[in-house]
Amino acid sequence: MINKQPYTKAQGSWQRKLTTALVAGVLACLEVTAAKAVITNTVKATGISGGVQIQSSATASVSVTPALPALKLVKTGTLHDGGDGSADPGDTITYTFAITNTGNVTLQNVGINDPFAVLTGMPIPALAPGAIDTTTFTATHVLTIGDITAGLFNNIAIANGRAASGQNASASAIEKTPLNLVSSMSLAKTGVLNLGPNGRADAGDTITYSFIVTNTGPTPLHDVSVSDPLVNFASLAGQQRMIAMLDAAQLPVDPITTAALPDAPVDAAALLQQYAKAAVPAQPFVLPNLNVERELVRMSGTGDTVEAGDKIGFVYRLYNTGDIPLTAISVGQPDAVAYGDSLDILAPNAQDTATIIYTREVTDDEIISGEIVAPATVSSNVRGTRISQNLKDRMPLSGIKAYDSFASASISPATVLNLAAGQSTTFTATYTLTQANIDAGVVNNTATATAKNLVDQTLTSVKSYSQPIVPAPAIALIKSGNADLGADNVASLGDIVTYSFDITNTGNVTLYNIDVTDPNAAVTGAPIASLAPGITKTAFTATHVLVQADLDAGKVLNQATVSSLSPTLVTTTDLSDPNSLTGDNPTTVSLAPKAAIALLKTFNAVTDVNGNGRNDVGDTITYNFSVKNVGNQTLTNVIVTDPKITVLGAALPSLAPNIVEATHFTGVYTITQADMDKGEVVNTATADGTAPDGTHVIDLSDPGVLTADAPTITPLMQQPKISLVKT
């Protein structure tokens, strides 16, 4: 509690004493060495109040930075070669030194020790924190023949100093001075195409690359490595984004919203500025040289088989094959969610992997078809013009990649630490062919080998390699048919045969503009824009209306042709087969042939030959025969026979279905006494025709019904009469 009393001399004296004590405490703090991490100080105040001495004390602790003596030494060497451009014995290297006090206390008696050079300069008495000395010390080394032979001279110097607290500080610096140093390297690159059991290149086959790096100089190299954007995915822009996506996909969360994506390592503004300075010929319009590929990566699901509902990723690979940068690249894929859908810039001859990614789930229809169809649009700016291209590629589910194929680089080993003069080391890498590689017919890529020499200068060697891919375009057509015979289930004129077609790409390249033609059927269906290897499509149907030739044959024998264009515009065709991808046999639809004939036999009249007005022996009966083709096939060599009479009329060459011949065949019969006694003539004739397959069809006559077989009965009028003459 503070006493609010008038100010007195006693109080003034007390305050002066208190101030003196505080100042003394501050001075005490200043006198404490910085080696103490904490300064604790107690202050006492005394005074007289009402003749009574009073006092009070207070203690405070202040943290201070401990003494941290430290030095930094930079050593720079300059070769003096006498003006001949070559280091020779007796030439000198002079060194300068920059000593910096990087600690927080003053260093005393700072000196330098250089065992391989003649040093000049006396120790620095004191060097305050942050101070730099560049003039006190110099040194000189005279080159020997050993130094020249080594190709460089390594020299180390050590700086030392001491703080007031007794702590020491030191620093060292190595200076590597090249002496006529010659270093060189070469890179040889080869590839081996590993074909599958079918003996041709297909997507999923591999190329094994070998990179042979040789130290062609007289001095050793170190930190030797090879990079190749085609096979070392980790070196590509956007790959870290891909890894982030896949890492997130392994977690039970939505990678679209949770993955943190690093920025692509491309300075778009600097790159644009660089190309803006280049002299580019004015062109009104330029097609973009942007090659776009997509790959499927599996993001969820277990086991080897992809199932409906599994999540997949569409990974876009962008290649700028032109000589100017492409800007504002964007991708739209309406059926999926964008994980990354744009790229600011893509430099000439550069490629980007996985900056643009879309994800969605696999559908039931896609599982059935075995392929993913995901239309997308890719747009980019080239010299101020916005250009778009549509993607309609079909991606087989069989080619889906696993996480591991994206997450790691494939060049081995990553680094060779040392490579002696004249020695070689081999790096290897495996590249998996994509369908785009097969369609292009070649895989072009360039590798770069890097190494450092004795003075850590970086050497590079570049080697390109082209692996030809032999295209093997092939297509197969399977044609199946079914006859609709109507309610009677009998093939008739006008009945319809319907055909379906299965078109399979049996080659190793994507086929385009696939169409089907059929000389004997009306084909419906638009041409298939593209068909990936191994994929089967059923985009066409055809119909054929039965004609008499089909019925006579008892079957429809038909063959269609499929045609397509390869990526190199080679036309590929195939004749259909009913069930084999490799066969070329016509498709046969059986029509269940039904050959049949019917015969009507009627009598016209009884002729009274002797004119006696009655039926007598010798009178005649005239018969008419009506022959009808009651089947569905044309009959040939149609004849009528009758055991009692000679039928008039030559064999009919042919008789079409439903045709009746009623006048061609006739016959005359002469009545006998037996006929008269019987009172009638009973007779049956036979019709005979030959079916297209050579079999005979026959029918017994009927007097009135085509489908019946009954004898024709001609009644005779009997007149029994007798006369007697007696003489």
Side-chain angles (χ1 to χ4, degrees):
M1 182 174 180
I2 299 177
N3 243 339
K4 295 184 178 179
Q5 297 180 356
Y7 179 80
T8 64
K9 282 188 176 182
Q11 289 173 330
S13 174
W14 177 80
Q15 289 177 349
R16 285 192 297 274
K17 291 180 180 179
L18 178 59
T19 301
T20 301
L22 290 174
V23 171
V26 171
L27 292 176
C29 290
L30 294 176
E31 291 173 356
V32 177
T33 67
K36 295 182 179 180
V38 179
I39 298 176
T40 301
N41 189 25
T42 300
V43 178
K44 291 183 179 180
T46 60
I48 303 296
S49 176
V52 179
Q53 182 177 1
I54 59 174
Q55 67 179 12
S56 178
S57 65
T59 300
S61 297
V62 180
S63 297
V64 296
T65 302
L68 298 173
L71 280 174
K72 176 183 177 182
L73 177 62
V74 177
K75 180 178 183 180
T76 305
T78 302
L79 173 64
H80 303 279
D81 58 15
D84 60 2
S86 176
D88 301 300
D91 290 343
T92 60
I93 302 174
T94 59
Y95 297 98
T96 59
F97 304 89
I99 306 174
T100 304
N101 184 343
T102 57
N104 61 358
V105 294
T106 299
L107 296 176
Q108 300 172 355
N109 198 31
V110 179
I112 290 179
N113 179 29
D114 192 329
F116 298 104
V118 178
L119 186 70
T120 61
M122 299 298 293
I124 303 169
L127 191 62
I132 302 175
D133 182 281
T134 60
T135 60
T136 299
F137 297 98
T138 61
T140 301
H141 172 76
V142 179
L143 295 177
T144 66
I145 186 64
D147 299 333
I148 305 300
T149 303
L152 82 162
F153 182 69
N154 287 330
N155 194 5
I156 184 170
I158 301 174
N160 294 285
R162 180 183 291 271
S165 62
Q167 294 172 282
N168 292 322
S170 64
S172 63
I174 297 177
E175 173 66 4
K176 298 179 180 181
T177 304
L179 306 174
N180 306 331
L181 180 63
V182 177
S183 54
S184 61
M185 64 183 293
S186 66
L187 171 64
K189 180 180 180 182
T190 59
V192 176
L193 179 60
N194 307 305
L195 303 179
N198 60 8
R200 73 182 188 195
D202 295 290
D205 290 343
T206 60
I207 301 175
T208 301
Y209 289 106
S210 296
F211 310 87
I212 303 175
V213 180
T214 302
N215 184 347
T216 56
T219 55
L221 301 175
H222 63 95
D223 294 333
V224 184
S225 64
V226 173
S227 64
D228 188 328
L230 186 67
V231 294
N232 193 344
F233 294 142
S235 68
L236 299 179
Q239 181 60 21
Q240 296 304 313
R241 295 169 60 90
M242 180 67 190
I243 295 174
M245 180 196 77
L246 294 172
D247 285 341
Q250 309 307 308
L251 303 175
V253 293
D254 185 358
I256 303 302
T257 58
T258 59
L261 301 182
D263 294 333
V266 176
D267 189 340
L271 189 59
L272 283 175
Q273 185 177 11
Q274 170 189 347
Y275 281 91
K277 295 178 181 179
V280 179
Q283 296 184 11
F285 182 78
V286 178
L287 287 175
N289 293 312
L290 180 61
N291 182 24
V292 182
E293 295 181 6
R294 291 189 291 182
E295 292 182 291
L296 296 177
V297 60
R298 191 170 184 181
M299 298 174 61
S300 69
T302 58
D304 297 331
T305 304
V306 179
E307 299 178 353
D310 287 351
K311 181 168 285 188
I312 57 173
F314 299 82
V315 181
Y316 285 76
R317 292 183 183 274
L318 308 176
Y319 302 81
N320 183 355
T321 58
D323 58 358
I324 57 174
L326 301 174
T327 60
I329 302 171
S330 63
V331 173
Q333 184 176 322
D335 68 343
V337 178
Y339 187 72
D341 62 359
S342 61
L343 181 65
D344 291 336
I345 193 165
L346 189 61
N349 298 313
Q351 56 180 310
D352 176 271
T353 299
T355 293
I356 296 176
I357 305 167
Y358 277 81
T359 62
R360 68 167 171 82
E361 294 179 349
V362 182
T363 67
D364 290 318
D365 290 341
E366 289 168 338
I367 295 298
I368 294 172
S369 67
E371 63 179 1
I372 302 293
V373 180
T377 301
V378 182
S379 301
S380 60
N381 285 344
V382 53
R383 289 181 179 157
T385 301
R386 191 71 175 170
I387 298 178
S388 299
Q389 51 185 303
N390 295 322
L391 298 181
K392 297 181 180 179
D393 52 323
R394 298 175 181 271
M395 295 165 282
L397 276 172
S398 59
I400 195 168
K401 289 191 173 183
Y403 164 73
D404 292 343
S405 64
F406 286 89
S408 61
S410 55
I411 295 181
S412 178
T415 305
V416 173
L417 296 180
N418 296 289
L419 188 62
Q423 288 188 341
S424 298
T425 186
T426 300
F427 298 81
T428 59
T430 300
Y431 175 70
T432 301
L433 294 176
T434 67
Q435 190 55 52
N437 299 143
I438 307 297
D439 291 345
V442 66
V443 178
N444 297 317
N445 64 321
T446 300
T448 301
T450 60
K452 292 183 178 181
N453 63 11
L454 292 174
V455 292
D456 292 332
Q457 294 172 326
T458 299
L459 284 71
T460 62
S461 181
V462 178
K463 188 68 174 180
S464 297
Y465 182 81
S466 295
Q467 176 63 58
I469 307 294
V470 178
I475 196 166
L477 178 63
I478 291 180
K479 176 181 181 180
S480 57
N482 181 57
D484 182 2
L485 303 181
D488 61 359
N489 200 33
V490 175
S492 306
L493 294 177
D495 286 346
I496 302 297
V497 176
T498 302
Y499 294 100
S500 60
F501 302 92
D502 291 339
I503 304 169
T504 303
N505 184 342
T506 56
N508 68 346
V509 296
T510 302
L511 299 176
Y512 301 92
N513 196 34
I514 297 97
D515 203 0
V516 171
T517 58
D518 193 321
N520 295 316
V523 179
T524 59
I528 301 172
S530 65
L531 188 64
I535 299 301
T536 299
K537 284 296 177 183
T538 57
F540 299 92
T541 59
T543 56
H544 171 73
V545 180
L546 293 182
V547 297
Q548 189 57 50
D550 301 326
L551 302 177
D552 291 345
K555 58 187 176 182
V556 178
L557 202 64
N558 200 2
Q559 195 167 29
T561 301
V562 63
S563 62
S564 63
L565 290 177
S566 73
T568 56
L569 303 182
V570 174
T571 300
T572 302
T573 63
D574 181 59
L575 291 173
S576 65
D577 189 275
N579 48 39
S580 173
L581 291 175
T582 58
D584 290 323
N585 298 306
T587 297
T588 301
V589 177
S590 178
L591 299 178
K594 181 182 178 182
I597 195 169
L599 177 62
L600 289 177
K601 177 181 179 181
T602 59
F603 68 92
N604 188 21
V606 177
T607 303
D608 185 4
V609 175
N610 57 15
N612 61 5
R614 66 184 183 188
N615 297 144
D616 295 308
V617 174
D619 289 345
T620 61
I621 303 172
T622 302
Y623 291 98
N624 292 329
F625 301 92
S626 294
V627 183
K628 184 177 182 180
N629 185 340
V630 292
N632 64 358
Q633 292 184 298
T634 299
L635 299 176
T636 59
N637 196 32
V638 177
I639 61 173
V640 175
T641 60
D642 194 311
K644 287 190 174 184
I645 61 175
T646 300
V647 178
L648 302 177
L652 292 173
S654 66
L655 185 64
N658 296 316
I659 298 300
V660 177
E661 179 52 63
T663 61
H664 185 73
F665 298 102
T666 61
V668 178
Y669 177 73
T670 301
I671 298 172
T672 67
Q673 186 58 55
D675 298 327
M676 291 305 303
D677 292 344
K678 190 176 181 180
E680 62 183 3
V681 176
V682 179
N683 197 9
T684 300
T686 302
D688 185 302
T690 303
D693 63 357
T695 61
H696 286 269
V697 290
I698 61 174
D699 184 58
L700 295 176
S701 64
D702 189 273
V705 180
L706 280 171
T707 57
D709 295 326
T712 299
I713 299 175
T714 305
L716 300 177
M717 184 178 60
Q718 292 177 319
Q719 293 180 322
K721 188 176 180 181
I722 192 169
S723 64
L724 178 62
V725 178
K726 182 177 181 181
T727 57

